[in-house]
Amino acid sequence: MESIQATKQRFGIIGNDAKLNRAIEKAIQVAPTDISVLVTGESGVGKESIPKIIHQLSHRKHGKYIAVNCGAIPEGTIDSELFGHEKGAFTGATQTRSGYFEVADGGTIFLDEVGELPLTTQVRLLRVLENGEFIKVGSSQVQKTNVRIVAATNVNMFDAIKKEKFREDLYYRLSTVEIHLPPLRDRKDDIHLLFRKFTSDFALKYKMPTIKLTDEAVVVLLKYRWSGNIRQLRNVAEQISVLEQNRTISAATLQGYLPNEGSNLPAIINTSKAESDFSNEREILYKVLFDMKSDLNDLKKLTMELMKSGNVKDVQKQNEGLIQKIYGEEEDATIEDLEVLSIAEKSPENFEPAPESQDKYHFAEEIEEEETLSLHDKELELIKKSLERHDGKRKLAAAELGISERTLYRKIKQYDL
Ligand SMILES: Nc1ncnc2c1ncn2[C@@H]1O[C@H](COP(=O)(O)OP(=O)(O)OP(=O)(O)O)[C@@H](O)[C@H]1O
Ligand SMILES: [Mg+2]
């Protein structure tokens, strides 16, 4: 059996807390069986790594692993997503489609936010769990599948059962084994460890010195409630790493990044922000501006050297590192760009940029296009959920998302919602 330590390393899990270790140990123990597992814990505690461990350490590891966010799929399409549909089952069903339970036959399905499943879907799910049977939407033919289910929730399932939003029988069927992940505030010894890991990762990513907390700042870090848990800690570590010029962080500076939370009160932090992981526009803009500022400083330095020396080749040799940093790998372009720069300085009125150097700030637009794409998905998901929660009332959804009604309207148009 794989050790807890090896599993943590393999899945990038940081921390030595006893309750965290117990949760990982349980995942390792239950992995080789087909038992259904329910992962519980507050938002941002790291629930998503548990089903991955279970799948990878099971005999299903060569089968498919599909993660489904039940809260993000509209109620009208979730049955079809999970169980598939027949051609003509509803308007727009132009072809027969397989659902996740058919596709993942022999593998594992992770049902994230399972508490959000509509009651009708819960009935279908119970049937799959009980005898591996399901029926495509619009079909009458019973199909068989062999899927292991791991579910996760950050809501109190007993509350949901009491309010008749979740079937009690399904809850017991799903939670044959329950794995609970503790909130970050109960893992005091791990907080600074995680923070140091995140800030060192961000220092590498943004090519800057690692930030360091003063002793007083560490006290603030440990005392904070962290209602967004590790996701929030990572977010704060990233913001400080990017925005603070002075790399030694005082208690007061750190405090400025921590939303005010009454220690005994429920979290008042806007959850969509806590979940953002850099997903709101202001933060993205900060990041772009910061990168541009850093490049501008480097360019200023280079220009000054060129003015002083006048010899392009010499300056190029002495500043290889800097040039590499600003222009990346394109060494040919570097020479040309530098030449264009020196010509422009001599006769700015005659300056016509060479075609390939026209877009000097192309680097600013190339910042992780993939990240932006997934950010769009995330944003779309957040907007959809918020509108659903508020029965389509834009005013309430906008307030929850922390954006103006106008911006929300624009986004609804943009995403064709
Ligand atoms: N022990 C850990 N070490 C390093 N990173 C972690 C750890 N736990 C969580 N994370 C990181 O924290 C973030 C949040 O984790 P995750 O998405 O698993 O939360 P969650 O419990 O599923 O929350 P939610 O209920 O809101 O979906 C992720 O970026 C994850 O990589
Ligand atoms: Mg999650």
Side-chain angles (χ1 to χ4, degrees):
M1 197 180 284
E2 196 163 308
S3 75
I4 299 176
Q5 215 49 42
T7 306
K8 281 199 276 195
Q9 212 154 18
R10 181 167 160 197
F11 292 89
I13 299 171
I14 313 291
N16 295 311
D17 177 80
K19 287 191 229 82
L20 172 74
N21 285 346
R22 179 68 194 117
I24 295 168
E25 188 182 24
K26 259 183 159 178
I28 298 171
Q29 286 170 328
V30 81
T33 70
D34 273 341
I35 293 174
S36 306
V37 176
L38 181 67
V39 188
T40 59
E42 290 179 13
S43 182
V45 289
K47 295 187 290 297
E48 274 160 51
S49 45
I50 299 290
K52 287 183 192 148
I53 296 175
I54 293 176
H55 177 72
Q56 284 303 327
L57 302 186
S58 77
H59 61 89
R60 297 172 179 269
K61 69 178 173 200
H62 298 300
K64 283 226 160 55
Y65 171 82
I66 299 183
V68 186
N69 187 333
C70 305
I73 304 175
E75 194 166 333
T77 56
I78 192 150
D79 283 357
S80 146
E81 291 276 330
L82 293 176
F83 306 103
H85 62 246
E86 283 297 335
K87 183 176 173 179
F90 47 83
T91 329
T94 50
Q95 277 176 1
T96 299
R97 181 186 174 281
S98 303
Y100 299 138
F101 276 89
E102 188 173 341
V103 175
D105 195 4
T108 309
I109 289 189
F110 170 40
L111 294 175
D112 202 0
E113 296 192 35
V114 73
E116 304 277 326
L117 276 183
L119 282 162
T120 49
T121 315
Q122 292 179 29
V123 180
R124 287 176 183 265
L125 182 58
L126 190 62
R127 183 164 179 187
V128 182
L129 278 161
E130 269 168 359
N131 49 26
E133 287 178 359
F134 71 96
I135 300 174
K136 276 197 175 90
V137 176
S139 167
S140 52
Q141 201 189 332
V142 177
Q143 287 180 248
K144 276 269 189 190
T145 187
N146 172 10
V147 171
R148 200 287 175 68
I149 294 178
V150 181
T153 180
N154 58 24
V155 298
N156 184 333
M157 292 301 271
F158 290 112
D159 266 4
I161 292 169
K162 229 192 267 164
K163 288 180 189 153
E164 298 188 350
K165 284 188 172 161
F166 206 86
R167 292 179 65 109
E168 193 171 1
D169 47 3
L170 178 59
Y171 168 76
Y172 287 113
R173 200 69 187 72
L174 280 173
S175 61
T176 314
V177 167
E178 185 169 326
I179 297 184
H180 180 71
L181 285 172
L184 187 58
R185 64 186 156 280
D186 291 349
R187 295 169 52 187
K188 288 274 185 249
D189 289 343
D190 287 346
I191 299 179
H192 196 199
L193 184 71
L194 278 156
F195 189 79
R196 286 201 305 268
K197 165 79 172 95
F198 292 144
T199 49
S200 115
D201 288 351
F202 290 128
L204 267 181
K205 181 173 174 190
Y206 298 121
K207 301 187 181 67
M208 299 171 79
T210 313
I211 57 161
K212 195 178 176 314
L213 298 179
T214 63
D215 291 347
E216 293 78 36
V218 173
V219 174
V220 171
L221 191 82
L222 300 189
K223 272 196 173 161
Y224 189 64
R225 191 175 150 79
W226 299 112
S227 37
N229 293 291
I230 300 169
R231 181 182 289 119
Q232 187 188 10
L233 181 76
R234 191 169 178 274
N235 205 345
V236 167
E238 183 164 24
Q239 289 186 48
I240 300 181
S241 297
V242 169
L243 298 176
E244 286 304 316
Q245 294 277 357
N246 183 349
R247 306 309 276 172
T248 301
I249 307 300
S250 68
T253 306
L254 174 62
Q255 201 86 57
Y257 287 88
L258 306 177
N260 230 345
E261 297 176 307
S263 53
N264 295 318
L265 297 170
I268 49 165
I269 173 171
N270 178 340
T271 50
S272 63
K273 168 126 177 58
E275 281 169 15
S276 77
D277 264 355
F278 245 82
S279 69
N280 80 37
E281 285 170 342
R282 187 168 53 93
E283 285 167 1
I284 295 168
L285 277 174
Y286 271 145
K287 192 173 154 217
V288 173
L289 282 174
F290 193 84
D291 286 350
M292 281 179 72
K293 191 176 166 201
S294 154
D295 279 326
L296 204 61
N297 282 340
D298 292 339
L299 281 168
K300 272 189 200 161
K301 189 165 170 249
L302 212 52
T303 316
M304 191 57 86
E305 304 249 326
L306 270 167
M307 284 195 319
K308 274 196 218 148
S309 141
N311 184 330
V312 174
K313 291 265 179 311
D314 274 357
V315 174
Q316 198 188 356
K317 219 181 233 159
Q318 283 156 15
N319 293 281
E320 260 175 27
L322 202 61
I323 292 167
Q324 184 81 13
K325 185 174 165 231
I326 307 170
Y327 292 96
E329 303 296 327
E330 307 157 55
E331 275 172 17
D332 289 348
T334 305
I335 299 169
E336 277 174 26
D337 282 348
L338 282 178
E339 278 167 358
V340 169
L341 205 66
S342 65
I343 295 164
E345 282 201 14
K346 279 175 203 146
S347 51
E349 68 282 4
N350 295 330
F351 174 54
E352 253 202 62
E356 65 271 34
S357 60
Q358 261 163 0
D359 183 11
K360 284 234 178 98
Y361 289 110
H362 63 279
F363 55 83
E365 287 163 16
E366 281 172 8
I367 295 173
E368 295 182 355
E369 206 168 63
E370 257 185 38
E371 194 174 333
T372 317
L373 279 177
S374 75
L375 286 177
H376 281 161
D377 288 345
K378 264 192 176 175
E379 184 178 59
L380 176 62
E381 192 181 309
L382 285 174
I383 293 174
K384 268 194 194 157
K385 275 176 69 179
S386 182
L387 283 168
E388 268 172 37
R389 260 198 296 277
H390 299 292
D391 293 322
K393 292 194 184 85
R394 286 188 197 148
K395 197 169 189 159
L396 295 176
E400 183 183 56
L401 294 164
I403 56 177
S404 69
E405 246 188 299
R406 229 176 104 168
T407 310
L408 179 62
Y409 180 71
R410 194 165 46 74
K411 294 204 178 286
I412 289 172
K413 285 252 167 238
Q414 179 190 343
Y415 291 126
D416 207 10
L417 285 173

